[in-house]
Amino acid sequence: MCTTCGCSNAQGAAVTDLDAKEAVHAQVEAQLQATPDGTAVGAREPSYRRVSEHEQGHAHLHPPSHSHDHTHAHDHSHNHASEHATSITLEQDILAKNQLLAERNRGWLAGRSILALNLMSSPGAGKTTLLERTIHDLGETLPLTVIEGDQATLNDAERIRATGARVVQINTGTGCHLDAEMASRALTQLDPPMHSVVMIENVGNLVCPALFDLGEGAKVLILSVTEGEDKPIKYPHMFRACSLLLLNKIDLLPYLRFDVEKCIGYARRVNPWIEILQVSAQSGEGMEAWYAWVHAMRAEG
Ligand SMILES: Nc1nc2c(ncn2[C@@H]2O[C@H](COP(=O)(O)OP(=O)(O)O)[C@@H](O)[C@H]2O)c(=O)[nH]1
Ligand SMILES: [Mg+2]
């Protein structure tokens, strides 16, 4: 996970309130402006390093914690078992600390009778489009606010703001997921009203976001039909973590080779309890079922 991929650094995250136009972490925001592509924000050396010929006998990308299954002989002597143990301990510490903060967020939300949903997907699956349409269709009847998560730019927050909904943007810099600490800061800034719904759009990624509880009421996964039907078995942790799968972009099915039943079968194989709805955030097809799910979740809470 993140100690391996090198992204678990919340320090560089910036929270921006689009109404106040005020960066909580002004220093990071200044860096963002200095480097519009975000590459220098919260920059740190990636954990992957190229192992020298001397160390490895051959060069390849080598994460510090990976387990070796090479069949060829090694002539280097670093202790893989202790590296692995250190890495696992660090991972457990990070996740345990995150869990404590997530529970604090959960209590904070429950105290205000707020339903928070953590929306996750790979980049481009349609999270922001889904939110835009949801706000358009439900905004009058359901008090909805949004936390946007991306490595860089305020683009998605600007899109949400154009709908009229209140929104706060988190820029994670090098980070590939939101964590409970970032969510806590964003919730404080957002200050959502009692009995409302907070939609949290996570950073586009089917791996790390699954591991980090934000204190949400439920995790929702958006998979678009352009991604291939085998994603549930390739990224089982994400599919296991989620209560609802929204299979998006079904308007494109006539133009693609995508077997819906096969995809649903794979999803149920890794998570027999997952609910699955087929939608098109663009055309609006199937969206009523999603709205009914949100209302039911809210009624449960
Ligand atoms: N055809 C089609 N395109 C969609 C749909 N939902 C989103 N898109 C497009 O997919 C692209 C990525 O959408 P976006 O909402 O930015 O994805 P995000 O990265 O998950 O937030 C955009 O070009 C959207 O217009 C859909 O239901 N059907
Ligand atoms: Mg988006």
Side-chain angles (χ1 to χ4, degrees):
M1 56 153 253
C2 292
T3 51
T4 303
C5 80
C7 69
S8 56
N9 178 14
Q11 311 273 302
V15 176
T16 306
D17 180 339
L18 261 74
D19 285 341
K21 286 277 182 209
E22 162 193 307
V24 170
H25 281 235
Q27 185 190 354
V28 177
E29 186 62 11
Q31 275 181 306
L32 246 184
Q33 282 157 11
T35 57
D37 66 358
T39 49
V41 177
R44 54 181 243 169
E45 282 297 307
S47 293
Y48 280 84
R49 63 194 175 93
R50 189 168 287 282
V51 176
S52 71
E53 296 281 334
H54 170 72
E55 284 178 292
Q56 184 63 28
H58 61 267
H60 66 196
L61 286 176
H62 189 282
S65 64
H66 84 171
S67 57
H68 272 191
D69 58 358
H70 306 307
T71 50
H72 58 267
H74 277 210
D75 59 358
H76 59 293
S77 61
H78 63 261
N79 186 340
H80 286 199
S82 76
E83 274 183 15
H84 195 61
T86 308
S87 171
I88 287 172
T89 307
L90 187 54
E91 286 172 10
Q92 285 172 341
D93 286 351
I94 289 168
L95 290 177
K97 186 177 167 220
N98 185 76
Q99 199 58 44
L100 280 175
L101 291 173
E103 293 309 335
R104 200 177 67 181
N105 290 346
R106 193 162 279 118
W108 190 93
L109 290 161
R112 287 160 181 77
S113 190
I114 294 169
L115 170 67
L117 297 176
N118 182 0
L119 271 56
M120 298 181 286
S121 79
S122 49
K127 298 179 295 302
T128 313
T129 308
L130 183 98
L131 287 177
E132 288 172 314
R133 182 173 277 273
T134 303
I135 294 162
H136 177 266
D137 292 349
L138 293 187
E140 303 261 298
T141 52
L142 192 68
L144 253 169
T145 57
V146 178
I147 294 173
E148 279 293 339
D150 271 307
Q151 286 198 321
T153 83
L154 303 179
N155 289 359
D156 281 3
E158 299 283 8
R159 283 170 64 184
I160 296 299
R161 195 159 186 252
T163 67
R166 173 143 170 74
V167 58
V168 163
Q169 175 84 49
I170 303 174
N171 286 133
T172 59
T174 54
C176 68
H177 62 273
L178 298 182
D179 66 23
E181 193 271 335
M182 297 175 203
S184 168
R185 279 162 50 202
L187 282 169
T188 304
Q189 189 73 23
L190 187 68
D191 193 20
M194 300 270 292
H195 312 292
S196 62
V197 175
V198 179
M199 299 282 188
I200 306 173
E201 178 176 338
N202 215 311
V203 179
N205 179 353
L206 283 182
V207 184
C208 300
L211 297 166
F212 287 82
D213 189 356
L214 306 180
E216 71 280 318
K219 291 180 167 70
V220 176
L221 175 56
I222 293 109
L223 178 73
S224 64
V225 296
T226 52
E227 296 174 68
E229 64 259 321
D230 60 352
K231 292 302 169 292
I233 50 172
K234 284 184 171 170
Y235 300 96
H237 299 292
M238 177 58 85
F239 284 79
R240 248 175 238 135
C242 291
S243 312
L244 174 67
L245 167 62
L246 294 175
L247 191 57
N248 190 31
K249 307 196 188 180
I250 56 168
D251 57 292
L252 295 178
L253 281 172
Y255 314 103
L256 300 167
R257 273 186 300 159
F258 182 93
D259 187 332
V260 171
E261 290 313 312
K262 207 169 181 180
C263 181
I264 291 173
Y266 284 147
R268 293 247 155 80
R269 189 194 294 179
V270 299
N271 181 353
W273 298 277
I274 197 164
E275 284 187 63
I276 303 171
L277 300 174
Q278 298 178 43
V279 299
S280 168
Q282 183 164 290
S283 73
E285 191 181 348
M287 292 290 281
E288 288 300 329
W290 154 241
Y291 302 151
W293 187 91
V294 173
H295 281 298
M297 282 296 294
R298 197 161 166 247
E300 263 180 41

